[in-house]
Amino acid sequence: MEETYLLNVEGVKKKILHGGQGELPKLQDGSKFTFHFQTLKDDFERTVIDDSREAGMPMEIIVGKMFKLEIWETLLSSMRIGEVAEFWCDAIHTGMYALVSRGMRRIAEGRDPLEGQKHRCGMGNMFDYHSTGYDDLDELQRTPQPLIFIMELFRVEDPSAYKRDTWAMSKEEKLAAVPVLHSEGNRLVLRREFAQAAAKYQEAVICLRNLQAKEKPWEDGWLKLESLVTPLVLNYCQCQLELGEYYEVLEHTTELLQKHNDNAKAYFKRAKAHAAVWNEREAREDFQRVAHLDPSMAAAVKKELKQLGERMRKKHVEDRKRYQGLFQSSQG
């Protein structure tokens, strides 16, 4: 089956490549589309820009959540479940594609899609991006042009039928999710399921960081959110210590201490991570800061320093034996 026609939208043409099933889905605010897509240039070669199958995961967007590329909601609303369709969209609809693609690529790479974004509105951010970090997207940003989208719609879910992803939540939903995630993390820690607990703490931090991105740094709203972030980051670091991810702990505690250089718990966790990777001088310095900042932790610091001394002495003895063995074998 192949049919070409204009949608009732200026600058859009649709071609059905494979018919879908049933009626057009009934949509409401919060309905979720799940689909695969390909984005192609409207050139002789039909150059592929993005392909969600190659990225390894389908795309999801929420109706009414102001997705940057608004035309996609319109295109998907014209499709039936199981339908595959090709849409030609004029440049009036594709100007934001470079930023949308940048975010999707960063998510596929396991990075924060908002990283580096300044505290400004969407259009302001567009002009701040001198580079997206991807050459092909930089070209699209400099020269808006028609694009072709090939979409395959898998399912449409009502808001009550799925767990809301963090990025799709409203401000109120994110704030409500944080204590729930925090308590779920604590429950998993009690069961010594540290990797799962860390994931809960991390999700809560992402909720708060997304909200912080809309506040001015160091002003009241930002500081209130930061006060919620700090204990979650410390809990996350404790899980990483238990999992042996010491460099992860060093990274996050150092970042935390750059903002809050009087946090004794952050110094304590960083000291333990330093000790675990044999950074003796750094570990001793951090433990001493802990005792100075929080005298109630002096006993714990004394115990850690004693253990550190014993581990370092044992290591020095083993190193001497190893070197002696190497020297004797070279003499022989």
Side-chain angles (χ1 to χ4, degrees):
M1 174 182 177
E2 186 173 305
E3 180 184 352
T4 304
Y5 60 94
L6 295 171
L7 286 176
N8 189 26
V9 181
E10 183 186 354
V12 175
K13 296 176 186 176
K14 176 179 177 181
K15 179 191 292 184
I16 295 176
L17 305 180
H18 184 276
Q21 301 154 4
E23 301 297 316
L24 288 173
K26 291 182 171 63
L27 302 174
Q28 55 182 301
D29 271 8
S31 294
K32 181 167 76 171
F33 292 112
T34 303
F35 59 101
H36 268 306
F37 73 94
Q38 262 193 328
T39 304
L40 302 88
K41 284 188 176 182
D42 184 24
D43 57 13
F44 182 76
E45 296 86 3
R46 287 168 61 96
T47 305
V48 176
I49 299 170
D50 290 306
D51 186 333
S52 62
R53 283 188 173 82
E54 283 190 9
M57 58 182 183
M59 182 68 184
E60 298 174 346
I61 65 172
I62 309 295
V63 173
K65 283 296 177 183
M66 300 298 290
F67 184 63
K68 280 194 177 80
L69 202 65
E70 291 179 32
I71 193 63
W72 272 16
E73 189 174 311
T74 302
L75 306 183
L76 290 161
S77 299
S78 77
M79 299 178 69
R80 292 170 169 78
I81 305 299
E83 182 178 319
V84 182
E86 177 178 311
F87 300 91
W88 177 92
C89 294
D90 201 355
I92 58 171
H93 299 297
T94 63
M96 296 295 286
Y97 184 76
L99 294 189
V100 171
S101 176
R102 174 187 186 268
M104 292 187 294
R105 291 183 189 187
R106 292 176 76 90
I107 290 169
E109 293 163 5
R111 299 158 69 191
D112 182 354
L114 299 176
E115 185 182 318
Q117 193 161 301
K118 296 191 178 181
H119 175 71
R120 293 181 58 181
C121 67
M123 289 302 289
N125 277 318
M126 181 174 74
F127 293 113
D128 277 328
Y129 291 140
H130 302 298
S131 171
T132 61
Y134 305 94
D135 291 342
D136 58 339
L137 299 183
D138 287 346
E139 181 201 338
L140 289 181
Q141 192 164 268
R142 284 192 300 269
T143 316
Q145 55 196 268
L147 294 173
I148 296 164
F149 303 112
I150 300 175
M151 295 177 160
E152 180 179 1
L153 181 60
F154 296 129
R155 60 182 174 271
V156 178
E157 297 168 273
D158 289 338
S160 60
Y162 64 90
K163 179 180 179 291
R164 303 294 290 278
D165 293 314
T166 299
W167 60 266
M169 293 178 180
S170 66
K171 177 180 178 179
E172 292 72 22
E173 287 168 335
K174 285 175 183 170
L175 284 171
V178 167
V180 175
L181 291 165
H182 198 156
S183 65
E184 285 177 357
N186 293 349
R187 180 175 53 81
L188 288 162
V189 165
L190 291 173
R191 288 161 50 181
R192 301 193 64 78
E193 296 177 18
F194 297 113
Q196 295 89 330
K200 295 293 183 184
Y201 296 137
Q202 187 175 43
E203 188 177 348
V205 169
I206 289 170
C207 282
L208 294 169
R209 291 291 190 216
N210 286 347
L211 293 172
Q212 270 191 318
K214 297 176 174 63
E215 302 285 346
K216 289 187 178 178
W218 302 105
E219 292 196 356
D220 286 348
W222 188 94
L223 288 168
K224 284 177 184 175
L225 293 167
E226 185 68 15
S227 70
L228 299 174
V229 167
T230 300
L232 288 162
V233 172
L234 290 172
N235 287 2
Y236 174 82
C237 288
Q238 184 59 42
C239 291
Q240 298 303 326
L241 280 174
E242 298 285 353
L243 293 166
E245 299 290 346
Y246 304 118
Y247 290 102
E248 181 88 355
V249 176
L250 292 175
E251 178 185 344
H252 287 283
T253 50
T254 299
E255 183 182 336
L256 189 62
L257 287 165
Q258 285 169 351
K259 296 177 187 171
H260 312 288
N261 63 3
D262 59 348
N263 192 303
K265 290 181 179 177
Y267 278 118
F268 189 77
K269 294 184 196 308
R270 190 171 75 171
K272 285 176 72 72
H274 275 309
V277 296
W278 307 105
N279 296 339
E280 182 181 13
R281 180 178 60 80
E282 292 87 346
R284 289 187 180 280
E285 286 176 359
D286 278 353
F287 279 133
Q288 285 161 5
R289 285 194 189 99
V290 173
H292 174 72
L293 287 167
D294 187 352
S296 71
M297 296 180 73
V301 166
K302 186 176 179 182
K303 179 182 175 184
E304 292 289 342
L305 285 171
K306 183 180 177 184
Q307 289 178 350
L308 175 61
E310 289 169 356
R311 286 182 69 238
M312 295 309 299
R313 277 191 294 276
K314 186 176 178 183
K315 183 175 184 290
H316 292 324
V317 169
E318 290 172 353
D319 287 347
R320 269 200 306 273
K321 287 179 180 176
R322 192 178 304 115
Y323 294 141
Q324 284 172 357
L326 287 170
F327 180 74
Q328 287 167 358
S329 64
S330 66
Q331 289 291 313

